[in-house]
Amino acid sequence: MTDTLALLPAGIDTYRQPVVYMHEDCHICRAEGFAAQTRVRIDLRDRWVIATLNVVGRAGWLTADSAALSVSAWSALLARPGDRARFSHPEPALSKSRIRAKAYGERLSEADFASIIGDTLEHRLTDLELAAFITACAGERLADAETVALTRAMQAAGETLDWGGRTVLDKHCVGGLPGNRTTPLVVAIVAAAGELIPKTSSRAITSPAGTADTMEVMAPVTLDERALRRVVEAEGGCVIWGGALNLSPADDHFIQIERPLNFDSTGQMVASVLSKKAAAGSTHVLIDIPVGATAKVRSAEAADALVARFLQVSAPIGLRLAVHLSDGSAPVGRGIGPALEASDVLAVLRREADAPNDLREKALDLAGKLLDLAPGSVPGTGHARAVEMLDSGSAEAKFLAICSAQGGFTEPARAPHRVEIPAQSDGTISSIDNRVIARIAKLAGAPRQKVAGVQLVAQVGDRVCKGQPLYEIHAASPGEAAWARSYAERHADVFLIAEGPR
């Protein structure tokens, strides 16, 4: 079997990118002309994957007659130790010509986008080629018709949930605001009001917590479609991780490239959000856009452009959509990090006296607007219905029932290591830098460590004295606490304090 190599698990997590490791003296490498970063097709039984080659020197951990696979490549092939696989050059990605066409300013069709997405999902395109595609579509380079075409192609590449013609409500926040954990509250309120709201959410990519990370503190979120339907049919709603459902699967690949490039592409953002909403079977969607100097959307002009694009694209793909512009000048709630945000959610649901009022009011605003969007509702009554569901305890009961249906409720844990960060002067807090406070929470270990993050003690508008705590770093280990504290001390202006006497 000279044309095959024995497979070994490398145990290296390369996220979604399949990688194969071969010895520099491997006979197949030499015969096929493989070099570092070559795309290699690997066939094992009835499965295949295209992986990026890394060449290993004579370090001793890999022999010349074997190949090691990254976690994603090993999983894709359903490989077992000792399996022998064949290696060959893959067919060239036909969509590369369409990427070049877009780079030179041509308009692409739905078929063009479908070709690019298909090659993306089969790993026929390198990260460099994907970066070229993302760049060619960045800014305002996607026309409205192209955004519709890209949205449809992204949805068609994965599964689409069918809810039998029923009204399905959904909400989405474009992000950029730490602690803004309204989704579990909105789902509980809306489901308690008798509406259908099967919410699929994401994990954090660059933030201290995603909705799925926070919800996972309180209940299991990795459900397949059968389990999802069981929960929704029983309780009218859920809050689960969408990654297990293959909804608009190309989106994660695009995001992986977009984040390091830090591109602001209205068309791609809209296609990303709406393709997942359509794939989830949603019919009526509310989009929350926080606007603030340190939020993702920084100006009224940028918000207006984003709103226009959402509205222009939603109708052609069959979604009824409304947009809510919210205050993005500071974090929402007190906690930043999965367990801390979960505690805020529970405090609001339980109507505790010291529950964060800004989180409560924003959740009620969003739930009310979403209830108003439902067919047959009396316009303007949604907010009162939302307040009734929350204040009566119905939303709390519904949330606990949803958690139970998803696998059982768990109280959030507390971090063993905490460090207070004091004010450096007297005065009034005029702003909080969203990006810097999120960075501190991540350095403390969030979201990898569920208990880690930042607990806000003071908020915008509060008067503080020098030495008074502004916020508290929570960490799972002394090292992470010290690392976050060091960064915090170098960024004392994360809380901007207008100095002055009382």
Side-chain angles (χ1 to χ4, degrees):
M1 302 181 70
T2 58
D3 60 339
T4 66
L5 294 174
L7 299 181
L8 302 171
I12 299 174
D13 185 359
T14 55
Y15 190 50
R16 292 180 175 269
Q17 181 65 50
V19 175
V20 57
Y21 304 87
M22 292 184 181
H23 195 279
E24 62 181 6
D25 293 331
C26 172
H27 67 282
I28 290 182
C29 272
R30 293 179 173 180
E32 295 290 342
F34 293 152
Q37 298 303 299
T38 298
R39 311 292 280 177
V40 178
R41 174 167 170 150
I42 310 171
D43 284 87
L44 178 64
R45 293 183 286 274
D46 60 344
R47 303 180 72 87
W48 61 272
V49 70
I50 296 175
T52 300
L53 173 63
N54 282 358
V55 177
V56 178
R58 298 170 185 175
W61 72 276
L62 188 64
T63 61
D65 61 350
S66 61
L69 303 182
S70 67
V71 172
S72 60
W74 188 265
S75 299
L77 290 171
L78 300 179
R80 300 185 293 266
D83 279 343
R84 300 191 69 88
R86 285 182 167 81
F87 298 81
S88 61
H89 289 281
E91 293 294 322
L94 298 178
S95 67
K96 287 198 289 187
S97 66
R98 305 318 301 148
I99 294 175
R100 284 195 296 271
K102 184 59 186 170
Y104 282 101
E106 288 189 29
R107 297 281 180 90
L108 299 189
S109 67
E110 186 173 337
D112 293 331
F113 286 120
S115 176
I116 294 168
I117 288 168
D119 283 340
T120 298
L121 294 177
E122 291 183 351
H123 301 283
R124 295 184 184 276
L125 296 171
T126 65
D127 284 354
L128 184 60
E129 289 159 346
L130 279 178
F133 171 65
I134 297 298
T135 304
C137 296
E140 299 301 320
R141 295 183 181 91
L142 282 180
D144 289 345
E146 286 182 297
T147 305
V148 172
L150 176 59
T151 304
R152 286 174 169 159
M154 290 176 69
Q155 177 191 351
E159 303 295 328
T160 294
L161 302 180
D162 183 356
W163 297 99
R166 288 179 287 178
T167 295
V168 177
L169 304 184
D170 203 348
K171 61 83 64 174
H172 177 82
C173 177
V174 301
L177 199 59
N180 187 31
R181 203 52 57 211
T182 58
T183 291
L185 294 166
V186 170
V187 169
I189 292 167
V190 170
E195 302 290 348
L196 196 68
I197 181 165
K199 186 73 180 77
T200 59
S201 298
S202 61
R203 297 188 185 277
I205 299 172
T206 60
S207 68
T211 296
D213 300 306
T214 297
M215 186 67 184
E216 193 171 41
V217 170
M218 299 175 283
V221 297
T222 306
L223 277 64
D224 59 19
E225 183 179 346
R226 182 177 179 181
L228 161 69
R229 291 188 179 278
R230 174 180 52 77
V231 174
V232 174
E233 294 301 339
E235 301 300 338
C238 67
V239 184
I240 69 164
W241 175 54
L245 299 174
N246 196 37
L247 305 179
S248 189
D251 187 47
D252 287 342
H253 294 269
F254 294 158
I255 288 173
Q256 189 178 3
I257 301 297
E258 288 169 350
R259 294 303 187 193
L261 294 174
N262 196 27
F263 281 156
D264 182 14
S265 175
T266 300
Q268 285 174 326
M269 179 192 294
V270 170
S272 168
V273 172
L274 296 188
S275 65
K276 287 194 170 181
K277 298 305 162 192
S282 304
T283 60
H284 296 66
V285 179
L286 177 67
I287 304 293
D288 175 30
I289 303 179
V291 184
T294 58
K296 181 181 291 185
V297 180
R298 303 179 194 179
S299 67
E301 293 76 17
D304 289 343
L306 188 55
V307 170
R309 186 65 68 95
F310 268 118
L311 294 175
Q312 288 160 352
V313 175
S314 59
I317 65 170
L319 293 177
R320 183 179 173 189
L321 184 136
V323 179
H324 175 69
L325 299 181
S326 58
D327 181 7
S329 62
V332 175
R334 294 181 303 232
I336 302 170
L340 294 169
E341 293 177 24
S343 294
D344 278 357
V345 167
L346 291 172
V348 172
L349 286 170
R350 290 166 174 167
R351 291 93 64 211
E352 294 175 0
D354 62 344
N357 191 61
D358 57 348
L359 180 62
R360 169 190 161 90
E361 292 305 315
K362 183 166 185 180
L364 288 171
D365 284 345
L366 294 173
K369 290 180 183 297
L370 195 51
L371 290 171
D372 280 341
L373 196 59
S377 63
V378 178
T381 63
H383 190 274
R385 289 177 67 196
V387 171
E388 180 185 356
M389 293 301 104
L390 185 57
D391 288 350
S392 68
S394 297
E396 179 190 2
K398 177 57 70 176
F399 182 77
L400 293 175
I402 289 172
C403 288
S404 178
Q406 288 185 198
F409 173 75
T410 302
E411 287 284 347
R414 302 285 289 175
H417 302 279
R418 304 176 200 176
V419 178
E420 287 186 347
I421 303 299
Q424 300 298 305
S425 62
D426 297 342
T428 301
I429 299 171
S430 60
S431 68
I432 301 174
D433 191 312
N434 289 308
R435 293 190 177 93
V436 175
I437 202 72
R439 175 69 173 162
I440 294 168
K442 289 167 63 181
L443 288 171
R448 179 177 52 84
Q449 300 284 0
K450 291 289 194 292
V451 296
V454 166
Q455 181 83 355
L456 301 179
V457 178
Q459 296 184 329
V460 172
D462 289 352
R463 291 194 63 83
V464 294
C465 298
K466 183 178 180 179
Q468 179 179 335
L470 294 176
Y471 60 96
E472 191 176 60
I473 295 170
H474 287 223
S477 70
E480 288 168 319
W483 188 257
R485 178 177 187 169
S486 175
Y487 183 85
E489 289 172 346
R490 297 196 307 272
H491 293 80
D493 59 349
V494 61
F495 277 64
L496 189 60
I497 299 175
E499 296 186 23
R502 285 188 175 272

